[in-house]
Amino acid sequence: MEIKLPNGQMMNSVSWKVPRAHSVDDTRNKSSKSESSATFDHQSAKFVIQKAKEANMIMVVKSVTHQAETMNPPVGLNTVRLLEAGSKAMGMSPKNVMNVAEKLYSAGLISYPRTELSLHTRNTEWGKSASYLLRTLKSNKPPKTGRDCGDHPPITPLKSASKGEVGGGAAWRVYDFVCRNFIGSLHNDLKFTKTVVVLTIPGSDDEFELEMVTVDSLGFADACRWVLRDIGATYGKNDSVSLKEGDCITITNVSMEEKTQRPPKFLQEHELIREMDEKGIGTDASMAVHVSNIVDREYVQLVDETGTPLRPPLPPGKRKQQLPRQVGRYLVP
């Protein structure tokens, strides 16, 4: 269901609070937040849509609750987290990530990339985010969180370099992540408010839920902006909206989508790396090779979220812009 807030903002994340008797309990079938309103009762879903239309597409705010939350900065970057980020966010194989990291180390741009340690011992400056950090940092002491394994220190940038100096492409993606994670790990907490609005349709007992997240203090998210997307946050002076009990909201669109239950998704590369680390399989120096071996020896095939085999990367000058972007790196036996 899509609604229009008083400030003109459109929200399509309103979910129906399905009565327990009609809910779908298998959460593996829910690929998005909107599927929390999934039901096997087709007639109940049609009844809710009919009620919305009879009420002239109007909803009423039943209650509004605010909850302040805090997210701690990331710990120092070790090899396992670098490999996970490379596979999940950069679309690179663990082996490729390590090859790039080793070249950056040889060029003097980052510290030694093979380490289990994630506990920092010193500070430094880096760009605008580092300046913001130095202006707002509440303590000049290194963070105490992280794991100290007694080996090499966490992976950190050693000197400032532009995208052109690094060489762009995969090298820049890895270098940029190392720098941002380092700045974020020294930063303050991210503080945000989670607002849950319960809505009802006049003449109906059914309830709907809208969740909004607004940022109160950026903290480490100033450097690690992807975190804002992960928590579903909106930021900016025009994004805030104040709702109170009794307010009327306009429904701009209501629809019912039929789906079938799906089996659990296949394991992704970054999930395998995390499982190997938790179960003590391999070391920070061998994990990338182990994952590469099972792919090269064709024990598994790498596919995207649609099940299409991943295309091998092409040289920058030969990229075909018309090809759709492939998302996910799933390991299929």
Side-chain angles (χ1 to χ4, degrees):
M1 182 177 291
E2 184 179 76
I3 63 174
K4 184 177 182 180
L5 299 179
N7 65 349
Q9 184 180 356
M10 307 298 290
M11 301 289 290
N12 60 2
S13 55
V14 180
S15 57
W16 175 32
K17 296 178 68 175
V18 181
R20 180 67 182 174
H22 305 308
S23 64
V24 175
D25 292 327
D26 188 0
T27 57
R28 296 176 304 173
N29 187 51
K30 301 174 183 178
S31 61
S32 66
K33 185 178 177 182
S34 63
E35 290 190 35
S36 61
S37 57
T39 178
F40 287 123
D41 192 328
H42 188 267
Q43 290 301 318
S44 293
K46 288 181 64 176
F47 177 75
V48 169
I49 292 177
Q50 184 62 32
K51 280 292 184 181
K53 294 178 179 178
E54 291 176 357
N56 297 319
M57 302 292 276
I58 294 293
M59 304 187 84
V60 179
V61 176
K62 181 179 181 180
S63 65
V64 180
T65 57
H66 304 280
Q67 182 177 350
E69 298 193 16
T70 299
M71 182 179 291
N72 296 326
V75 296
L77 184 64
N78 60 19
T79 304
V80 170
R81 286 196 56 240
L82 177 62
L83 296 180
E84 286 184 34
S87 177
K88 182 179 180 180
M90 306 177 207
M92 299 168 59
S93 70
K95 186 176 181 179
N96 190 21
V97 172
M98 283 310 304
N99 289 338
V100 170
E102 287 170 353
K103 291 178 181 178
L104 292 172
Y105 169 67
S106 298
L109 292 171
I110 66 173
S111 60
Y112 190 64
R114 297 184 184 275
T115 177
E116 297 179 26
L117 193 142
S118 58
L119 182 66
H120 280 309
T121 57
R122 60 179 62 188
N123 197 342
T124 191
E125 291 188 49
W126 171 258
K128 292 182 179 179
S129 291
S131 297
Y132 173 74
L133 162 65
L134 295 174
R135 290 196 309 271
T136 60
L137 191 64
K138 297 178 180 179
S139 171
N140 59 3
K141 296 180 180 180
K144 297 180 180 180
T145 55
R147 181 174 63 177
D148 187 354
C149 302
D151 59 345
H152 298 280
I155 306 168
T156 62
L158 296 181
K159 66 179 181 180
S160 173
S162 66
K163 186 174 183 178
E165 291 170 332
V166 172
W172 173 253
R173 295 200 298 273
V174 173
Y175 177 70
D176 182 64
F177 177 75
V178 170
C179 293
R180 292 184 179 279
N181 188 92
F182 175 62
I183 295 170
S185 69
L186 300 175
H187 226 306
N188 302 316
D189 294 341
L190 164 64
K191 297 181 179 180
F192 57 95
T193 299
K194 184 176 292 185
T195 301
V196 178
V197 182
V198 177
L199 305 161
T200 60
I201 298 174
S204 171
D205 294 329
D206 289 287
E207 295 183 347
F208 298 78
E209 199 170 83
L210 169 65
E211 185 177 290
M212 298 180 290
V213 176
T214 54
V215 175
D216 302 315
S217 177
L218 268 177
F220 75 91
D222 179 68
C224 307
R225 291 278 172 161
W226 57 84
V227 175
L228 299 176
R229 181 180 64 250
D230 293 343
I231 65 173
T234 58
Y235 54 99
K237 60 182 180 181
N238 294 325
D239 291 332
S240 60
V241 60
S242 177
L243 294 174
K244 62 182 183 299
E245 185 177 340
D247 283 350
C248 292
I249 305 294
T250 302
I251 303 174
T252 57
N253 181 49
V254 59
S255 61
M256 179 173 62
E257 184 178 3
E258 295 187 12
K259 293 185 177 182
T260 57
Q261 281 192 298
R262 297 178 295 273
K265 292 183 178 180
F266 288 105
L267 198 69
Q268 292 204 64
E269 255 182 354
H270 70 273
E271 295 170 331
L272 176 58
I273 290 289
R274 186 183 305 124
E275 289 289 330
M276 292 172 66
D277 180 52
E278 292 176 354
K279 293 177 171 54
I281 302 175
T283 65
D284 53 0
S286 65
M287 286 183 186
V289 177
H290 292 326
V291 176
S292 177
N293 283 342
I294 64 173
V295 175
D296 293 342
R297 295 171 185 174
E298 299 183 353
Y299 292 118
V300 296
Q301 184 180 30
L302 278 170
V303 303
D304 63 14
E305 62 182 3
T306 67
T308 304
L310 292 184
R311 299 183 297 270
L314 298 174
K318 296 184 179 180
R319 293 190 186 278
K320 296 182 179 180
Q321 298 298 328
Q322 67 269 25
L323 292 176
R325 179 172 177 264
Q326 293 186 290
V327 179
R329 298 180 64 86
Y330 295 89
L331 300 163
V332 180

